[in-house]
Amino acid sequence: MQLGGDPGREEVIISYICHDVEKISSRGLWFGDDPLAYSVPLLLLQLSLVSIFTRSIYFLLKPFGQPSIVSQILGGVILGPSIMGRNFSFAAKVFPPKGRALFETLSLFGFMLSVFLIGVKMDPKMLLRSGKRAIAIGFSAFSVPYALASFVAFMLEQFSSLDPDLSKALPYVVALQTLTAFPTLACFLEELKILNSELGRLASSSSIVCDVCHWFILAMKFLIELASKRSIKMSFGFLFSVGLLLVFVLFGVRPAVLWAIRHTPEGEPVKEIYVFVVLVILLVMGFTGEAIGLNAFVPSFLLGLVIPDGPPLGAALVEKLDCFVSVLLMPIFFTMCGLRMDVFAIQQFKTVATIQLIVFVAFTGKIIGSALPPLFCRMPVLDAISLGLIMNSKGVVELFVLMAWKMEHVLNEECFAIMIISVVIVTGIVSPLVKILYDPSKRFLAYRRRTILHHRQREELRMLACVHRQDNVPAIIDLLAASNPTTESPINLVVLHLVKLVGRASSLLVPHQPREKPSSSQYPSHSERIFNAFNNFQQHYSEHMTVHCFKGISPHATMHNDVCSLALEKRSTFIIIPFHKFWVSGSVVETSHSLRHLNKNVLDKAPCSVGVLVDRGNRRKFLSSLRINTSLYRVATLFFGGADDREALAYAGRMSKHSNILTTLFCFSSSTDIVEGSVRSKALDTDVLSKFRLSAFRDDRVSFEEVAVTNGEGVLDVLRSLDGAYDLVMVGRRHGESWLMTQIGKWDELGELGTIGEILASSEIKISASILVVQQQTKVWGLRDPEESMHLKTEYATQDL
């Protein structure tokens, strides 16, 4: 085998590595024949080689949509007997038989911790929450491939002369191919960034049902084998020991864990002693499992399963162990699988063809079994096929099962190598296909205009308010109060508390269920305090506002899926999202790049209009109290032109009907075009401005100021003059290209607020008012240009600004 096309290159690389190893050995850094005295420098060398090869392969395969597990297995294959390990000098110096013991121990210890973390992240209640569709998909995804693959294996045994080792391995091949392990699937969905998509949630629930079916069958086979091959005394002793272990976990560990959680105040980290005790129990249970005849991984998984997922304890365990396990130990495990595989052990084409036929039949059967139930529920064909591909994902659980079967001599070297190759091939095929076939953002297209500009006057205004922290609540409530809920045009509000996914394997998007009888000693949770604030606000507008509360737990990278899917489901017209910077007394105290990424994704993919709310932390009054207050709330709207400015102006028009709000429009003009735009867009600008100007003549609380500017500095002077004069400043996000925007474009640092919005939110322009940057709906089903709406003039004409 040659590297890079140079015949001598492989030998040169190996000779250099072996020379360095000999230098280490000559200095006495490891000791003779004792495998336990294996040197740390050699282990570090092995880890360095593993890291170099796996990371290099990962970056090479990443453009082709390959997950990290493929590169890690291939890295082990390259270092193993299939390629570089065929050089006896390299194998003896870098991976000697005695020296490999510590490497293998680390890999198995890493898998033990990984299994424990998988149990911690899992929520057993998901099985109870699985709907009929998930149950049907899970059962069908197990039974159809199992039946088809078993039938093909039976026919091959009956009508083809198979090798005894191959005939013995076929039932295990069938069992592995019908497995859809929830831990593997959760990691796969997270890597594809579709964990909290509609398809991701359905696949997660279905995989748990499929897992239950699979492990139930295996448990029955194990009990039958136990009864037939062991004495009654040994069988009873084994079952009694397992029962005692379960009793200890359920009635000893579980109550202790719940006690520790109850004594940890919300928002505060758990005590280190709790984490330490859990890890000690993990090691003890692993040893106990080995002692009673189970391997260490079963009690490790059970221990993780009884620890509630998420904060505080589950999140603390994941936070402390996840990086160490996933970055260091699990790549060692995957590499170990590759090191144990020898491609040259594959000698017979008939064995390859037989196993791959079973793999193909089970692969096809799982797609059919997973796709049929959702197709009956009228799911799109491509989505159903994508679900079937996702259910075929393979990973850490399957590799461990193969390793265990190899050590138990269920699979010989040839069958083991073929199965490892099939895992790599299946995973390598599934990942890019799912990326091509399934895009969650395509489902966020609305079938009609959902904007404030197109909103009918005597119609309920549907809004979605996103909240990350309790500090976001006052500014959002002020904006909602300014939105003027009335009997003629009430507001239907959906509040979505967005929480980062920590210590869980599956995302969550559920309506909030208030506790019926909270005890006096039980403090309200962070989400409950947020929802209580909005429910109290609703009581002031009981006849004009309806509030629905939801909680979404998902990774920051895909959190926008929760926002957009909920907005589409609730037919929202306007989404309010907080800015990624947080101010206290005018000073920026926190900047979140993950929230900035979230805001950009929402702006790109939202099915309706969006407003980014910048809370400068200097509110002088709370508009929500103006029902019993005679003070005034001042709103300024900046108009340069374009769809987003028209949306902001329509919002200002709705606010202007509030008896305690003074609305001012600053219309910027110049001898040349302020912003570029089509003839239709400019005509629409003229139309909405003329209507607003007319309303300014009719209402003393509405004013219109035309500002003539000759350069960018003139715009900045106007923006600086807003400080202290207004409580809320609104502006559109996009203004196109023009000479004016080019002059002041240096302020726009590719942020989510656009040129003018970035200037208003910058530290250079000290504005104490809250800022709302508005973007009109960008995508409508069937319309290439969102401004091309036949209902624009007819609907807007009914609005009396």
Side-chain angles (χ1 to χ4, degrees), residues 17-49:
I17 295 174
C18 294
H19 176 68
D20 291 339
V21 174
E22 288 173 356
K23 287 174 64 178
I24 295 173
S25 179
S26 65
R27 294 174 184 173
L29 296 177
W30 68 72
F31 308 95
D33 298 327
D34 185 2
L36 296 179
Y38 169 61
S39 76
V40 173
L42 182 58
L43 176 62
L44 294 177
L45 174 63
Q46 292 175 341
L47 295 180
S48 300
L49 289 174

Side-chain angles (χ1 to χ4, degrees), residues 490-507:
I491 292 180
N492 188 314
L493 175 67
V494 175
V495 180
L496 176 59
H497 182 205
L498 295 169
V499 182
K500 180 183 177 182
L501 180 72
V502 178
R504 298 174 57 94
S506 56
S507 63

Side-chain angles (χ1 to χ4, degrees), residues 704-717:
F704 183 98
E705 295 187 21
E706 187 165 354
V707 182
V709 294
T710 57
N711 52 38
E713 190 61 34
V715 176
L716 297 179
D717 291 339

Side-chain angles (χ1 to χ4, degrees), residues 22 43 144 231 235 252 341 418 716:
E22 288 173 356
L43 176 62
V144 173
S231 64
S235 300
M341 187 195 82
I418 296 172
L716 297 179

Side-chain angles (χ1 to χ4, degrees), residues 516-550:
E516 295 182 0
K517 295 181 179 179
S519 61
S520 58
S521 60
Q522 194 172 20
Y523 296 100
S525 65
H526 185 52
S527 296
E528 286 175 328
R529 289 195 292 269
I530 291 173
F531 297 147
N532 288 340
F534 284 97
N535 288 327
N536 292 335
F537 172 67
Q538 178 191 8
Q539 293 177 4
H540 290 285
Y541 297 91
S542 56
E543 299 178 357
H544 310 144
M545 178 172 289
T546 306
V547 176
H548 309 278
C549 299
F550 286 79

Side-chain angles (χ1 to χ4, degrees), residues 623-653:
L623 184 62
S624 55
S625 64
L626 289 184
R627 287 173 61 89
I628 54 175
N629 198 322
T630 58
S631 59
L632 297 175
Y633 192 82
R634 302 176 183 273
V635 178
T637 305
L638 310 179
F639 191 92
F640 295 87
D644 294 350
D645 279 2
R646 292 196 296 272
E647 184 73 1
L649 185 57
Y651 200 3

Side-chain angles (χ1 to χ4, degrees), residues 225-259:
E225 183 179 353
L226 185 67
S228 61
K229 293 185 178 181
R230 296 188 183 183
S231 64
I232 297 177
K233 183 178 180 179
M234 291 184 63
S235 300
F236 178 79
F238 173 77
L239 295 176
F240 181 74
S241 301
V242 173
L244 285 179
L245 186 64
L246 289 174
V247 169
F248 171 72
V249 171
L250 295 176
F251 300 101
V253 176
R254 174 74 174 180
V257 166
L258 295 178
W259 178 88

Side-chain angles (χ1 to χ4, degrees), residues 432-497:
L433 282 180
V434 173
K435 288 183 177 180
I436 293 172
L437 295 177
Y438 183 68
D439 181 7
S441 63
K442 291 181 179 179
R443 309 182 65 84
F444 301 150
L445 283 178
Y447 288 88
R448 55 165 291 185
R449 297 307 307 270
R450 294 184 179 174
T451 70
I452 297 178
L453 181 64
H454 296 81
H455 178 72
R456 291 184 174 90
Q457 186 177 11
R458 297 182 180 277
E459 189 178 63
E460 183 181 59
L461 178 63
R462 296 176 175 266
M463 303 180 73
L464 171 63
C466 302
V467 181
H468 301 292
R469 49 196 294 173
Q470 200 168 355
D471 300 316
N472 300 142
V473 174
I476 295 177
I477 287 181
D478 277 358
L479 181 62
L480 293 171
S483 302
N484 192 29
T486 62
T487 304
E488 293 78 15
S489 183
I491 292 180
N492 188 314
L493 175 67
V494 175
V495 180
L496 176 59
H497 182 205

